[in-house]
Amino acid sequence: MKEIKYLFSEGKKLALTFSYDDGVEFDRRLVERFNHYGFKGTFNLPTSVLGRPGYVTASEVPTLYAGHEVAVHGYHHPFLERISRTQMIGELVADRQNLEAMVHHPVTGLAYPYGTYDPEVVATLRALGFTYARTAGDETGNFRYPQDWLVWRPTCHHHRALEFIEPFLTSKYSLTVLYVWGHSYEFDREANWELVDQIGERLTNQPQVWYATNGEIQHYLECIHRLVFTVAQDAVYNPTDQTIWMAIDNDRVLAIESGKTIRIE
Ligand SMILES: [Zn+2]
């Protein structure tokens, strides 16, 4: 029996992603640093605040966040579990619709405002077709991805990111995800913008790291679990839209293109 291990895009073992909330003006500085280091992030925007003093404007969203991802954060940034279901749906759909009108593609990710939720919120997100939702305040301290994408706990807040870099880069496991979250205004409030560069210099240009948005990682991992193998594991069909990568017996890497069936020798 062959030993088959899935890999990330381009045959990489590790993935790095960031998630930043609230659409504050300091996102401009953070995105500039992310672009410098080749990092990808997801920016969760409560669209009711866009254009107010201290926040980015709706018109700059497509260019500012180009190459990154924007995601829902509730139109008014409410505690989703403390409002009626009707109101909850309104908050989620209005925010999503506003963002989609800015970026012209489906927006199906979310970060819970205040990081809070209950089973009814999760069920509503599922019914509305959201593909993932990030929590806060319950960081895992590990590099695993969630069983339920609607309860996606990050590895750490950025103030603890440095301590996870070495264990991340030396992890011997494939599909290892370092997920860092925060607010860009925290760098300003705590006067520690140098932290972004400390993280940047240690994590930039790592050959084993796939730099991806939250949504790209979620979608790729969902596709992995849709591959269809023969019982003998001598052939595999990829019905998804992604090229999926895997290691065979730890000695070679295989890429299975979208729609293809290939022999595994
Ligand atoms: Zn927030």
Side-chain angles (χ1 to χ4, degrees):
M1 185 174 169
K2 293 184 192 70
E3 186 180 13
I4 297 176
K5 286 181 194 156
Y6 295 124
L7 300 166
F8 283 121
S9 201
E10 308 298 325
K12 293 165 194 280
K13 277 170 63 179
L14 316 173
L16 173 66
T17 196
F18 295 88
S19 179
Y20 278 80
D21 297 353
D22 298 349
V24 294
E25 59 187 336
F26 305 108
D27 278 8
R28 295 177 188 132
R29 182 165 174 184
L30 185 63
V31 169
E32 188 275 322
R33 297 322 288 159
F34 277 5
N35 292 344
H36 175 77
Y37 292 113
F39 297 168
K40 299 285 183 117
T42 294
F43 293 84
N44 308 290
L45 309 177
T47 46
S48 68
V49 303
L50 300 183
R52 291 190 192 165
Y55 293 90
V56 305
T57 66
S59 60
E60 74 180 306
V61 163
T63 45
L64 173 62
Y65 300 112
H68 302 276
E69 177 187 22
V70 295
V72 169
H73 202 38
Y75 180 70
H76 290 111
H77 199 287
F79 286 98
L80 292 169
E81 74 287 2
R82 299 187 195 176
I83 55 180
S84 74
R85 182 178 272 200
T86 308
Q87 208 183 342
M88 186 206 310
I89 291 170
E91 289 281 344
L92 297 168
V93 171
D95 205 30
R96 176 171 166 180
Q97 204 163 14
N98 290 339
L99 291 171
E100 289 174 346
M102 295 171 205
V103 298
H104 306 294
H105 60 73
V107 174
T108 59
L110 172 133
Y112 292 107
Y114 308 105
T116 63
Y117 59 91
D118 68 10
E120 183 156 329
V121 174
V122 175
T124 304
L125 291 175
R126 213 178 297 284
L128 290 173
F130 281 87
T131 49
Y132 73 85
R134 195 213 77 221
T135 66
D138 59 350
E139 294 76 9
T140 64
N142 66 44
F143 305 120
R144 300 191 192 124
Y145 60 91
Q147 285 186 9
D148 182 350
W149 289 105
L150 295 179
V151 186
W152 192 356
R153 297 164 58 197
T155 305
C156 62
H157 182 275
H158 68 231
H159 74 260
R160 287 190 62 198
L162 291 176
E163 65 192 83
F164 288 97
I165 292 177
E166 187 64 23
F168 170 65
L169 291 176
T170 57
S171 170
K172 58 185 196 297
Y173 301 108
S174 57
L175 302 187
T176 290
V177 181
L178 172 56
Y179 186 150
V180 179
W181 83 283
H183 304 90
S184 58
Y185 64 75
E186 294 172 274
F187 296 114
D188 213 73
R189 190 179 65 197
E190 285 149 42
N192 64 351
W193 278 100
E194 72 278 4
L195 179 57
V196 180
D197 293 309
Q198 288 162 353
I199 295 168
E201 274 148 33
R202 290 183 62 192
L203 283 169
T204 193
N205 283 321
Q206 293 288 339
Q208 277 300 329
V209 176
W210 181 36
Y211 302 93
T213 66
N214 291 197
E216 287 168 341
I217 290 173
Q218 186 276 330
H219 182 62
Y220 185 85
L221 289 171
E222 184 183 271
C223 288
I224 273 179
H225 293 289
R226 291 176 54 207
L227 290 184
V228 186
F229 288 84
T230 57
V231 174
Q233 291 195 104
D234 57 357
V236 57
Y237 166 53
N238 176 5
T240 77
D241 69 338
Q242 300 284 299
T243 298
I244 305 285
W245 299 72
M246 58 183 68
I248 313 295
D249 291 333
N250 290 314
D251 66 6
R252 65 213 158 85
V253 171
L254 219 58
I256 304 108
E257 288 174 29
S258 170
K260 295 275 164 48
T261 299
I262 63 161
R263 293 291 303 273
I264 304 173
E265 306 292 344

